[in-house]
Amino acid sequence: MTTTLTEFKLVPWQQLPTMPIYMDQLLQFVNQRLAPLGLPAVTKTMVNSYVKQHFFSRPVNRQYQRNQIVAVLVVTILKQDFSLNTISRAILAIRDSRLIEKRYVEFATAFEQALRAQPVLVTSSDKTTRAIQFAAQTVAYHLLTRETLA
């Protein structure tokens, strides 16, 4: 069964793995979840590059935690429209805020609403929230445009 973009849902925070997972499991998890978006598959080289660029901390005992999985999901989506330098600044700001779950939910909500052509109310005065919402909409509209023109 093919999922259209308007039906796509990011993995809810509560459904992300709670136990650490290995690289192969991470790649399978991320690639399966993002397949309906038609994005290039995430590779081991990409994930290792994200670690080297400090998008997230090194895995402990070669295992990735929930926050690292979220970073791979979001970076994979954002890099369709944003430079890795821009994404890095955003990821560091979010990581430093210690509000990773809240920020992921904000991103997922804005991304899914934009894919459904529902208005995303950008009313927060919080700069990070606004940036997350704008970025999510940018990628969502890009994907919708590509799908429409296909």
Side-chain angles (χ1 to χ4, degrees), residues 14-74:
Q14 300 78 8
Q15 292 179 17
L16 289 163
T18 55
M19 300 292 292
I21 61 175
Y22 289 100
M23 174 70 81
D24 290 343
Q25 295 167 307
L26 170 71
L27 296 176
Q28 181 180 15
F29 182 85
V30 170
N31 288 326
Q32 281 179 347
R33 297 319 186 279
L34 297 182
L37 298 178
L39 306 177
V42 178
T43 65
K44 182 178 178 180
T45 302
M46 290 175 179
V47 173
N48 288 333
S49 173
Y50 300 158
V51 171
K52 288 179 185 171
Q53 294 180 55
H54 306 290
F55 287 165
F56 50 86
S57 58
R58 294 195 174 283
V60 176
N61 297 324
R62 297 184 180 175
Q63 295 179 313
Y64 296 84
Q65 306 285 334
R66 181 184 283 187
N67 290 350
Q68 294 161 315
I69 297 166
V70 163
V72 174
L73 284 166
V74 173

Side-chain angles (χ1 to χ4, degrees), residues 112-129:
E112 292 168 11
Q113 285 177 331
L115 287 175
R116 287 162 188 68
Q118 298 171 343
V120 178
L121 300 177
V122 183
T123 58
S124 176
S125 61
D126 177 50
K127 283 185 176 183
T128 304
T129 297

